[in-house]
Amino acid sequence: MLELIDAIIKTRETVADIFVKSLVNLEGNSEVEIVKKILTEIKNHNEIFPEGWYSPPPAGVAVLLDQKPFERLKYDSLRNPDFWPKENLRLEKETVGLIFFSPIDRKTNMIGDIGFTLYRGNNEEIKQHLRKAYKNILEVAKHAEVGMRFSDLCMFAINLFQDKFKITRWASISSDPNVSINIGHSVPGSFENNPTFGNTFEKIKESIRTKRVHLIGTENFYIPKTCAFTVESRLENFDNPNLPSTYFHFIVCFDNGKKTILENYSEIFKTVGMDYMNVK
């Protein structure tokens, strides 16, 4: 299983490098053009499949661009065709965006998803909002421990967001309509000795989709000594409608009890002009 954890770490590093190399000179680019840049760079990495597992959106890549009042960033699901990349929506100075990709390692079928909110403008209130969201979601990842139940980690997140951030909307990333608060999911196979996924890309994608254990308030899955899971949230401040919905994605890895949190954003932020995201 340790090989699987290594593969997750490496895949996350690979996709972060893909973003660094592809997300340059974005001014005026459309959602579709940004997706094309990412997919072009992915072709240079044979260690991952040329498309992502979370598909639709097409090829497992999501790019959303919007300006005030940021309605496009309040998507119900990235699988909804209304929120697939469009030609007529372009990145301008005060645009806020979401960029997400869901890579799969060819050798192990481990995933290394990454996603973040993009903002390159001058509004200091939005910048502070993004920094605060990043810190709070990361705090949930830091709180995770071996032996903790997913339900307890989810409740910690709910209390943290409500008490510190006063955020009251989360992305629902579960297929269960009764689950409204979902802050992540296991990396399928990461805690199995011999995980099976199928022998075609479509079967692998479906295995990943269906084998996830969701990080929700009713899930009593206990975090084992070796495993990986995502911590991700879409947070929106209802007290200030001028602020956009934000999204940041982390992966927590436990390697025989040793914990590593995969951020991989520092070089990405520099590349896209978000040096203000000094959140250490």
Side-chain angles (χ1 to χ4, degrees):
M1 288 192 293
L2 302 186
E3 176 191 4
L4 303 183
I5 302 301
D6 288 342
I8 294 165
I9 295 171
K10 179 60 178 175
T11 302
R12 176 80 173 204
E13 291 174 348
T14 297
V15 70
D17 184 60
I18 288 169
F19 276 14
V20 168
K21 291 177 179 176
S22 60
L23 300 181
V24 296
N25 302 321
L26 294 181
E27 190 73 24
N29 282 199
S30 70
E31 291 178 349
V32 169
E33 288 170 335
I34 294 174
V35 169
K36 287 180 179 177
K37 284 186 172 185
I38 294 170
L39 290 175
T40 297
E41 182 59 35
I42 290 170
K43 292 178 181 178
N44 296 324
H45 293 270
N46 292 328
E47 67 270 33
I48 62 174
F49 285 100
E51 297 184 4
W53 71 269
Y54 191 85
S55 172
V61 183
V63 176
L64 297 176
L65 303 175
D66 202 6
Q67 295 195 38
K68 191 177 175 180
F70 309 115
E71 290 299 319
R72 186 159 173 77
L73 299 179
K74 298 178 183 180
Y75 54 91
D76 57 351
S77 171
L78 294 174
R79 296 188 185 277
N80 183 339
D82 290 342
F83 299 101
W84 294 0
K86 298 185 182 301
E87 285 279 11
N88 63 324
L89 298 174
R90 297 185 173 275
L91 184 68
E92 301 176 2
K93 187 62 177 178
E94 290 301 321
T95 297
V96 178
L98 176 144
I99 301 179
F100 171 84
F101 178 52
S102 53
I104 312 172
D105 175 58
R106 284 184 183 271
K107 183 178 178 181
T108 63
N109 296 320
M110 292 295 102
I111 62 175
D113 302 8
I114 196 166
F116 71 102
T117 298
L118 168 68
Y119 177 66
R120 305 159 63 250
N122 297 318
N123 188 311
E124 291 299 326
E125 195 172 24
I126 293 178
K127 292 179 183 179
Q128 182 180 7
H129 176 57
L130 264 63
R131 285 194 296 265
K132 191 178 292 186
Y134 187 103
K135 286 181 179 179
N136 277 262
I137 300 168
L138 179 58
E139 189 64 28
V140 177
K142 291 179 178 179
H143 187 71
E145 297 179 355
V146 170
M148 179 181 289
R149 295 185 304 180
F150 269 9
S151 57
D152 292 333
L153 184 58
C154 181
M155 294 309 299
F156 172 83
I158 291 171
N159 292 330
L160 177 68
F161 296 155
Q162 288 178 338
D163 292 344
K164 292 187 177 182
F165 205 25
K166 296 182 180 177
I167 297 293
T168 54
R169 179 174 293 177
W170 290 261
S172 178
I173 45 180
S174 169
S175 59
D176 183 349
N178 297 315
V179 175
S180 60
I181 298 174
N182 187 331
I183 63 166
H185 57 81
S186 66
V187 174
S190 63
F191 48 90
E192 300 178 33
N193 286 319
N194 295 294
T196 57
F197 292 88
N199 54 9
T200 68
F201 182 64
E202 290 302 319
K203 288 181 179 179
I204 292 169
K205 287 199 305 178
E206 184 63 9
S207 290
I208 293 170
R209 186 187 70 81
T210 57
K211 285 185 175 183
R212 290 176 295 166
V213 179
H214 287 284
L215 221 169
I216 55 179
T218 56
E219 178 52 66
N220 288 324
F221 175 84
Y222 287 86
I223 299 173
K225 287 186 176 181
T226 298
C227 70
F229 54 91
T230 74
V231 173
E232 50 184 304
S233 290
R234 189 184 73 179
L235 306 178
E236 184 179 344
N237 192 328
F238 289 139
D239 292 335
N240 189 341
N242 295 318
L243 295 176
S245 174
T246 64
Y247 174 82
F248 293 102
H249 183 294
F250 304 98
I251 300 178
V252 178
C253 295
F254 283 100
D255 183 341
N256 196 26
K258 181 181 178 181
K259 180 179 177 180
T260 304
I261 299 175
L262 308 184
E263 296 183 57
N264 309 97
Y265 287 112
S266 59
E267 292 302 314
I268 296 173
F269 289 150
K270 291 179 184 177
T271 296
V272 299
M274 292 175 61
D275 290 341
Y276 62 87
M277 289 291 290
N278 182 12
V279 295
K280 298 298 184 182

